[in-house]
Amino acid sequence: MSDRAVAAVLAALVLVTRLPFAAQTLWAWDSVLYSRALEQGFHVGADLADQRPHPPGYLFYLALAAVFRSVTRDSNAALVVVSVLASALTAAAVYLLCRRYADRGLSLVITLGAVSAPLVWTYGEVAMPYALLALLSVVFAMSLRDARTRPWPAALIASAGLGLAAGFRQDVLLLLGPLWLWMLASRSWRERALCIAAAGIAALAWFGPSATLSGGPASYLATLGAQAARVSELSPAAGGDALLRNTLLTVYALWWGLLGFALLLATALLASLLARRRLSSDAAFFALWLIPAAFVYVTIHIGDPGYLMSVLPGLYVACAALLAPVAARAPRAVIAFAALLVALNVVVFALSDGPFSAHAIERHDSSIVSRIAFVRGHFAPASVVILAQSEYLTARYYLPEYRVLFYGADPQALSSAAREARLGAPTEVVVFGNLAMSLPPTLRLASDGGVASGSVDAATSLVAYDLEPR
């Protein structure tokens, strides 16, 4: 069986194992924004009411999801299909890249580890673009690696491809930029200029439509600037504990993305250093693929553990490269140990109650479904106000007939159009999801069906915000 056939089998295996656990409801805040774009049309704005989705937009990602939505007739299902397919293709790409460094047996078991990691598996089941980010990362890392030494047109094609890939996730330009520059370093100045032009022209394929659909180039660029300013306020440069927070979240994501393979990778790297053996002739390739992204997440911004999907494929491929010399001497022992780690991944995802697991997906779905049913079954839309914070958009999406208000600090950070709403007696309120800011102690809530509710009386002062006033 050829390597391409093995890669196809791996992709099919991932596809089959993802389908039973696919999320049935929108996973997060951003998932709702992607659904808005599919249902109301693409538009990127600085204020929440204008975000379909948030900047920079991910136009090609949404265009691909729109194709599947024409079949599924459901936004969540369409977005999940993209994640499932991206996961399957990532498995094939990781295997093919591993084969550049290791034999078939080791490449196979390392790839199985890469696709069965709890964090990777979870994001391959939900309406978020991080599985696609993993695919883009490994495909274009491999493309840029090969283009460095192949005849001239390969560099031009890889550059144009990277420009187009940014239409799916603009952050690939930042994360893979160092690899692209490394690829260009082996070219003449004329070829470099042509590659830069090819990447820029290709990028117009997504920049032009994104800007046109968002009020024009000036408005779109202003929105990107506002988003960059918002991110900078959350970065370590703004002070506070952002550096520690980013570092802890990065380590947390790496743990759930590697589990036992973290130990295997660290041991293989240490053994290589002690033996004074180079990783391979591609040591620079791995360094430029993995280190810049980690630097960005720690020192600038990491908004979600899923961001680490950009480096996890590279870490697994690096593991294969490091283990290849050891596996050549003791293939059965190395492959058997790695297979045990794959089994650990599967057990943790399928049977544990961890934050990245089948139970976490099921729990998320059942929680949303049951709370929606409870609200509709016990409260008329005209008689209640729903208070929410992290699930504000989820409540608005699934309960559009109800009045949903944001209850939390700094609402202007989400929308400059935020309008204060003072709730007085005898308003009935329902709390949807967790609130970071405490409610007034005089507001006594009763919990039923996973939903807390109560009445505002004359002694209670309650201020919430309409983030999207009509």
Side-chain angles (χ1 to χ4, degrees):
M1 183 181 290
S2 69
D3 281 330
R4 289 186 178 182
V6 174
V9 171
L10 283 168
L13 176 64
V14 171
L15 190 66
V16 170
T17 55
R18 290 293 192 267
L19 291 176
F21 305 105
Q24 303 302 306
T25 59
L26 294 170
W27 182 251
W29 181 285
D30 288 352
S31 305
V32 179
L33 297 180
Y34 300 135
S35 295
R36 283 184 175 184
L38 294 176
E39 296 163 15
Q40 302 172 28
F42 182 95
H43 183 278
V44 171
D47 278 346
L48 184 61
D50 297 325
Q51 292 180 358
R52 306 190 306 269
H54 57 293
Y58 312 144
L59 180 68
F60 290 172
Y61 166 63
L62 290 166
L64 180 61
V67 172
F68 293 113
R69 189 176 184 276
S70 67
V71 177
T72 66
R73 303 297 178 185
D74 178 81
S75 297
N76 178 72
L79 292 163
V80 170
V81 167
V82 174
S83 295
V84 169
L85 291 177
S87 298
L89 294 175
T90 299
V94 167
Y95 172 78
L96 292 174
L97 186 51
C98 282
R99 287 291 285 126
R100 310 290 175 89
Y101 304 99
D103 63 22
R104 176 170 292 181
L106 182 58
S107 297
L108 184 62
V109 73
I110 291 296
T111 301
L112 290 174
V115 298
S116 63
L119 183 141
V120 175
W121 202 330
T122 298
Y123 280 105
E125 305 280 13
V126 300
M128 294 291 278
Y130 299 120
L132 184 61
L133 176 60
L135 175 62
L136 294 173
S137 177
V138 67
V139 166
F140 283 96
M142 182 163 46
S143 173
L144 294 170
R145 171 193 179 276
D146 294 345
R148 180 176 166 84
T149 56
R150 286 185 176 175
W152 153 240
L156 192 69
I157 294 170
S159 297
L162 186 62
L164 287 173
F168 293 95
R169 289 278 312 190
Q170 281 81 0
D171 51 356
V172 300
L173 293 177
L174 178 63
L175 301 177
L176 297 179
L179 265 186
W180 180 58
L181 295 176
W182 173 72
M183 184 272 291
L184 292 182
S186 65
R187 299 292 172 177
S188 68
W189 281 106
R190 174 181 173 276
E191 291 172 342
R192 292 171 190 170
L194 290 172
C195 286
I196 292 171
I201 292 171
L204 291 175
W206 58 264
F207 180 86
S210 296
T212 300
L213 294 170
S214 303
S219 177
Y220 183 63
L221 289 173
T223 298
L224 297 185
Q227 180 74 356
R230 191 172 295 167
V231 169
S232 68
E233 293 174 357
L234 301 173
S235 73
D241 63 348
L243 181 62
L244 176 62
R245 186 174 62 249
N246 288 357
T247 301
L248 292 177
L249 184 55
T250 299
V251 172
Y252 173 79
L254 286 173
W255 165 250
W256 286 104
L258 293 171
L259 285 188
F261 280 91
L263 176 61
L264 188 62
L265 177 60
T267 302
L269 179 59
L270 179 61
S272 179
L273 293 174
L274 291 175
R276 297 182 180 180
R277 182 175 57 239
R278 295 175 61 194
L279 173 64
S280 73
S281 59
D282 286 308
F285 164 68
F286 285 106
L288 291 171
W289 183 7
L290 304 176
I291 294 175
F295 180 80
V296 167
Y297 298 147
V298 170
T299 64
I300 300 178
H301 178 65
I302 174 171
D304 190 283
Y307 277 65
L308 267 295
M309 296 279 280
S310 68
V311 300
L312 286 171
L315 289 172
Y316 279 94
V317 175
C319 189
L322 287 164
L323 287 173
V326 181
R329 296 192 299 271
R332 291 184 179 179
V334 171
I335 291 175
F337 184 69
L340 285 175
L341 297 181
V342 172
L344 174 65
N345 282 353
V346 174
V347 168
V348 170
F349 175 79
L351 302 179
S352 81
D353 198 30
F356 301 102
S357 64
H359 288 295
I361 298 171
E362 182 183 8
R363 185 168 58 246
H364 172 84
D365 285 343
S366 62
S367 173
I368 289 179
V369 170
S370 63
R371 283 182 287 154
I372 291 169
F374 184 85
V375 170
R376 286 203 168 116
H378 291 78
F379 304 99
S383 67
V384 70
V385 173
I386 297 176
L387 301 179
Q389 188 174 11
S390 61
E391 294 189 78
Y392 168 80
L393 285 182
T394 302
R396 282 183 61 87
Y397 184 84
Y398 286 112
L399 296 166
E401 69 273 31
Y402 289 79
R403 187 186 184 194
V404 180
L405 298 177
F406 178 84
Y407 186 81
D410 300 323
Q412 290 78 17
L414 296 169
S415 175
S416 62
R419 184 177 299 167
E420 183 180 289
R422 292 186 174 272
L423 304 181
T427 306
E428 187 81 11
V429 298
V430 167
V431 177
F432 197 96
N434 296 323
L435 302 176
M437 194 167 74
S438 299
L439 287 162
T442 53
L443 178 61
R444 297 182 180 180
L445 300 176
S447 184
D448 190 8
V451 174
S453 62
S455 296
V456 177
D457 57 28
T460 302
S461 176
L462 188 60
V463 178
Y465 299 89
D466 187 351
L467 300 184
E468 304 170 274
R470 294 182 177 87

